[in-house]
Amino acid sequence: MSTLEKMGFTDWSPNQPDNYMSHQDCAMFFLSDNYHWNDHYCDVKAGYICEREIEEGSSVIG
């Protein structure tokens, strides 16, 4: 799902994003690159991350 809003955080791997073969429209973490981002194919099954505002008085459990 997308709000089409610009991302507020990026930490790309060196030389990324490169849109390899003009088909990499999604982002993922590379574990082998200290969790830096890489652009990747969108048909790859992977976990996901959600972002939302934290309500005042709430705590984050992780």
Side-chain angles (χ1 to χ4, degrees):
M1 176 181 229
S2 175
T3 62
L4 300 178
E5 292 181 28
K6 188 175 182 177
M7 292 185 292
F9 174 81
T10 58
D11 190 17
W12 294 105
S13 294
N15 302 313
Q16 297 298 329
D18 64 357
N19 197 22
Y20 182 71
M21 298 190 66
S22 300
H23 296 300
Q24 293 184 323
D25 297 321
C26 290
M28 64 179 290
F29 288 113
F30 259 4
L31 301 178
S32 62
D33 194 17
N34 294 320
Y35 298 97
H36 287 92
W37 291 18
N38 176 52
D39 60 333
H40 209 8
Y41 305 102
C42 296
D43 59 354
V44 173
K45 292 185 187 259
Y48 56 90
I49 297 174
C50 296
E51 177 182 67
R52 70 179 181 115
E53 296 289 327
I54 297 176
E55 297 176 17
E56 190 172 326
S58 296
S59 63
V60 176
I61 300 173

